[in-house]
Amino acid sequence: MGWIRFVEGKKVFDCISSPNTAHPIPVYVEEIKDIVNVADYILVVEKESVFQRLANDQFCNANRCIVISGRGYPDIPTRRFLRLLVENLHIPVYCLVDCDPYGFDILTTYKFGSMQMAYDTKHLRVPEISWLGAFPSDSEKYFVPKQCLLPLTAEDKRKIKAMLLRCYLQREVPQWRLELEMMLEKGVKFEIEALSVHALSFLTESYIPSKIHGQVNI
């Protein structure tokens, strides 16, 4: 959803006429043409529930952006479509994921590609993407209640330790690695929705706009 219009084959995707209405990710990315964009940035959200929250809050009315969700681990069309947008629009792209090992893994899949698709990384990865949140440090900064902080499982800890061994984290995004170390040190995780526990529209009215306009992303 958001401030964009384009044609895929013979189908017109006119998001601009109703920017808070969800549209499916186009399957035939190579057939996309006639892109018209009036957005200032792209926001990638991990989960459909958060995407729906933004739609319900009419997020795109107040924010000139394009919102995309891969609904968990993103499929190939989602990653190819995002790559196409970044190459053609030349606007910033941000990613919002849960503060847990799986959210972080999804974030790195967008930025660096996946091991399974290493041969096609060039067309799928988006090195320009910035991490908007949720950071482990956000739990204290935004007063996430203790009941929303879930202890890391043994599997979570194993996954974090394995990700910390990825050499490209230290080389390319050392700040991301520090946040991942903090997650392991704190021993807790939380979902994006935990940030809205005090006010339902906190994500759309405060958290996301303040992070983007204040450049609080890494």
Side-chain angles (χ1 to χ4, degrees), residues 7 11 31 33 53 60 74 80 99 118 129 141 143 148 166 192 207:
V7 176
K11 184 178 180 181
E31 294 185 14
K33 60 183 180 180
R53 174 80 261 154
C60 291
R80 288 190 67 197
C99 182
I129 205 164
K141 185 176 180 180
F143 307 104
C148 295
R166 297 176 185 176
I192 301 166
Y207 184 83

Side-chain angles (χ1 to χ4, degrees), residues 33-72:
K33 60 183 180 180
D34 301 335
I35 301 174
V36 176
N37 171 62
V38 286
D40 297 324
Y41 62 89
I42 301 166
L43 176 63
V44 180
V45 297
E46 173 188 347
K47 300 190 296 190
E48 193 169 12
S49 58
V50 174
F51 184 98
Q52 197 57 54
R53 174 80 261 154
L54 299 184
N56 292 345
D57 287 352
Q58 307 284 291
F59 182 76
C60 291
N61 282 357
N63 301 272
R64 286 281 177 134
C65 65
I66 299 162
V67 184
I68 294 173
S69 176
R71 297 185 292 184

Side-chain angles (χ1 to χ4, degrees), residues 79 112-122 124:
R79 292 165 60 196
F112 299 107
S114 63
M115 296 301 291
Q116 294 89 341
M117 297 291 293
Y119 63 89
D120 205 17
T121 292
K122 179 183 173 184
L124 297 174

Side-chain angles (χ1 to χ4, degrees), residues 41 43 54 59 62-63 94 132 142 201-217:
Y41 62 89
L43 176 63
L54 299 184
F59 182 76
N63 301 272
Y94 306 100
L132 196 70
Y142 296 100
S201 58
F202 177 75
L203 258 186
T204 55
E205 293 181 2
S206 300
Y207 184 83
I208 296 172
S210 67
K211 286 225 170 191
I212 288 174
H213 299 308
Q215 294 296 302
V216 187
N217 54 80

Side-chain angles (χ1 to χ4, degrees), residues 44-47 72-74 95-111 131 133-134 156 159-160 163 166 176 180 183 189-192:
V44 180
V45 297
E46 173 188 347
K47 300 190 296 190
Y73 280 93
C95 191
L96 183 64
V97 295
D98 283 340
C99 182
D100 63 22
Y102 294 91
F104 188 86
D105 200 26
I106 287 166
L107 171 71
T108 59
T109 298
Y110 279 115
K111 190 175 183 80
W131 185 13
D156 288 334
K159 191 170 182 64
I160 291 174
M163 289 191 290
R166 297 176 185 176
W176 288 20
L180 193 59
M183 189 190 302
K189 59 185 177 180
F190 62 91
E191 296 188 324
I192 301 166

